[in-house]
Amino acid sequence: MAYDDNNIFARILRGEIPCKKIYEDAHTLAFEDINPAAPVHTLVIPKGKYVSATDFSEKASEVEIVAFNRAIHKVVALKGVADAGYRLIANAGLNGGQEVPHFHIHIIGGRPLGAMVQRK
Ligand code: AMP
């Protein structure tokens, strides 16, 4: 899948749409999810143009990958959920329920989150 320059996170990165920024460095931006699923729901995105977790893992540089992973855990600390626990989610593609085609990690916490995936 080709990267869509008009996806909503690309527009946030270009400053065309506002976000509630939590953290930023040279390679990474983190901001609050607009429709939080829990008391803590923050999104962490690489600044590079990667569609999914797979795309990022295949094409990003080692510097970007390390920065992204470190940033996730800086945000975990900033949001105060490290001790109580949290969940990291990366939805990918149709079955994964990915709505925005720019790779992102959800950091979710602030309450017991229950089962990992609904069993049907
Ligand atoms: P996903 O289904 O993994 O692609 O998740 C996309 C997430 O982006 C959802 O949790 C949305 O609530 C969130 N979202 C969509 N638009 C915005 C926005 N403008 N600012 C912050 N979060 C957003």
Side-chain angles (χ1 to χ4, degrees):
M1 185 188 188
Y3 184 81
D4 171 11
D5 272 310
N6 283 320
N7 80 74
I8 198 119
F9 294 169
R11 299 185 66 199
I12 286 174
L13 283 167
R14 290 198 296 269
E16 295 167 7
I17 293 177
C19 71
K20 194 170 172 206
K21 189 184 352 180
I22 298 297
Y23 173 83
E24 181 171 18
D25 63 32
H27 302 287
T28 312
L29 177 68
F31 53 91
E32 301 294 25
D33 195 291
I34 206 166
N35 185 21
V40 171
H41 190 167
T42 306
L43 302 172
V44 188
I45 69 173
K47 290 186 172 177
K49 298 179 179 184
Y50 304 105
V51 175
S52 66
T54 301
D55 196 29
F56 183 70
S57 130
E58 284 174 357
K59 296 181 190 152
S61 67
E62 290 178 14
V63 168
E64 289 174 289
I65 291 170
V66 169
F68 186 68
N69 274 280
R70 292 250 158 84
I72 289 168
H73 296 283
K74 283 178 187 162
V75 176
V76 164
L78 284 169
K79 296 301 295 184
V81 293
D83 290 345
Y86 56 90
R87 186 169 293 162
L88 305 181
I89 299 175
N91 296 319
L94 211 54
N95 282 355
Q98 183 177 7
E99 292 169 9
V100 179
H102 180 113
F103 174 44
H104 52 282
I105 294 280
H106 299 251
I107 299 172
I108 299 179
R111 65 168 169 81
L113 296 169
M116 183 172 70
V117 175
Q118 212 175 351
R119 296 178 192 275
K120 288 187 177 169

